Amino acid sequence: MAAPSVFYLHGGPALGPVFERARYPDASHVHWWHQPVAKPCAARPYLDLLEAALTEFRRVAAEAGQPLTVMASSFGAHLAVHLARHAPELIKNIVLLAPTYNPEDAALRLARRAFRVHTDHQHAGKLATALAMYEEDPGRPRFWDVFGALSLLPDATELYFGPNGGPEAARSFAELIQQPGAFDGPTSVATSDDFSALDHTPQPSAFTGPVSVLFGAYDPMIDADKDRAVWEVIFPQAAFFKVETGHFPLLELTLEECLAPA
């Protein structure tokens, strides 16, 4: 088997690449790295994840014997930024798929969207209350209250997908997320909280090669105009594309369309 040429960083945190592997079973040129779960009582799980990503990336690049394409989805874009900062010489190009620079803001946008869709649901009032309390007193405890209220509404994951390729992708996502290893809740909470405790002021990257950023036209989590301004600071050379998907372009488009969107 040929060495991988694409190093893939899935989203989440703690959302495994089972969805991508199921959709692209023959893509042997892609290293679908499954990010490790957080160690119990880890002091800095997000920093541990960054170092694990860098270690794995260097290993795969050494095996390939050449620079790799780094493809990152959603929260995985932060790991791509870390690789670009510490190992730019090992990167051929970077592809960011619906990158969420501020995951907390992104999740809150999803919750507000869910409330608008399900205003008449019996638990919609709980979500409205949680959102109002967060606005009054922002912080991680209130944020997780919103997340808990969001989970009471039906079919929240369907909101991730666009109207074109979405229905089939949404059904597949709902089925696969039940598989062992698809999602680890404790790791997600620990990593998210550690991430939120750090300063994330955008800084220009040491990587000056090609960068593509894909935003989904129906993404409920991202304000493309706002986020574009942030990513332009990090990667001034980036080319931006709007695609007819929701939050997971790789689950609605083809792999080739994501790697070469122009």
Side-chain angles (χ1 to χ4, degrees), residues 209-227:
V211 177
S212 299
V213 181
L214 280 66
F215 289 127
Y218 303 98
D219 192 335
M221 304 183 73
I222 290 178
D223 181 334
D225 292 334
K226 177 182 175 182
D227 281 22

Side-chain angles (χ1 to χ4, degrees), residues 11-13 73-78 97-116 127 131 134-135 140 143-144 146-147 150 156 159-160 192 195-196 215 218-224 226-227 231 247-248:
S73 174
S74 191
F75 182 82
H78 285 280
L97 306 174
T100 50
Y101 194 76
N102 188 322
E104 185 167 312
D105 279 356
L108 290 168
R109 284 176 59 83
L110 177 66
R112 295 184 185 106
R113 169 65 175 161
F115 176 74
R116 291 194 297 271
L127 180 56
L131 285 166
Y134 176 89
E135 295 294 339
R140 297 306 286 179
F143 169 77
W144 288 117
V146 171
F147 203 83
L150 174 62
L159 300 177
Y160 287 134
S192 297
F195 173 89
S196 70
F215 289 127
Y218 303 98
D219 192 335
M221 304 183 73
I222 290 178
D223 181 334
K226 177 182 175 182
D227 281 22
W231 291 107
H247 188 60
F248 296 110

Side-chain angles (χ1 to χ4, degrees), residues 107-252:
L108 290 168
R109 284 176 59 83
L110 177 66
R112 295 184 185 106
R113 169 65 175 161
F115 176 74
R116 291 194 297 271
V117 170
H118 298 293
T119 302
D120 296 329
H121 190 269
Q122 61 177 329
H123 294 305
K126 295 178 182 178
L127 180 56
T129 298
L131 285 166
M133 294 179 70
Y134 176 89
E135 295 294 339
E136 187 176 301
D137 182 25
R140 297 306 286 179
R142 296 298 191 197
F143 169 77
W144 288 117
D145 288 344
V146 171
F147 203 83
L150 174 62
S151 69
L152 299 175
L153 299 187
D155 307 323
T157 56
E158 288 188 6
L159 300 177
Y160 287 134
F161 300 94
N164 297 326
E168 180 180 348
R171 285 193 296 271
S172 176
F173 188 93
E175 293 171 359
L176 290 170
I177 202 170
Q178 304 300 322
Q179 290 189 1
F183 178 70
D184 187 83
T187 292
S188 182
V189 172
T191 305
S192 297
D193 284 347
D194 190 28
F195 173 89
S196 70
L198 299 172
D199 176 31
H200 295 288
T201 302
Q203 301 293 334
S205 175
F207 178 73
T208 58
V211 177
S212 299
V213 181
L214 280 66
F215 289 127
Y218 303 98
D219 192 335
M221 304 183 73
I222 290 178
D223 181 334
D225 292 334
K226 177 182 175 182
D227 281 22
R228 173 173 177 157
V230 174
W231 291 107
E232 283 179 328
V233 173
I234 303 170
F235 299 116
Q237 75 276 30
F240 293 84
F241 303 89
K242 181 170 283 189
V243 293
E244 295 297 305
T245 73
H247 188 60
F248 296 110
L250 197 55
L251 302 185
E252 295 191 59

Side-chain angles (χ1 to χ4, degrees), residues 39-129:
K39 296 179 181 178
C41 301
R44 302 308 308 268
Y46 175 64
L47 298 184
D48 292 344
L49 178 59
L50 292 180
E51 289 310 301
L54 184 58
T55 297
E56 180 71 357
F57 179 64
R58 284 177 168 155
R59 183 191 71 79
V60 176
E63 176 185 310
Q66 62 183 357
L68 303 175
T69 293
V70 173
M71 174 181 273
S73 174
S74 191
F75 182 82
H78 285 280
L79 306 187
V81 170
H82 186 71
L83 302 187
R85 179 179 299 123
H86 293 280
E89 74 284 357
L90 299 180
I91 300 175
K92 177 183 178 183
N93 64 300
I94 296 174
V95 178
L96 303 180
L97 306 174
T100 50
Y101 194 76
N102 188 322
E104 185 167 312
D105 279 356
L108 290 168
R109 284 176 59 83
L110 177 66
R112 295 184 185 106
R113 169 65 175 161
F115 176 74
R116 291 194 297 271
V117 170
H118 298 293
T119 302
D120 296 329
H121 190 269
Q122 61 177 329
H123 294 305
K126 295 178 182 178
L127 180 56
T129 298

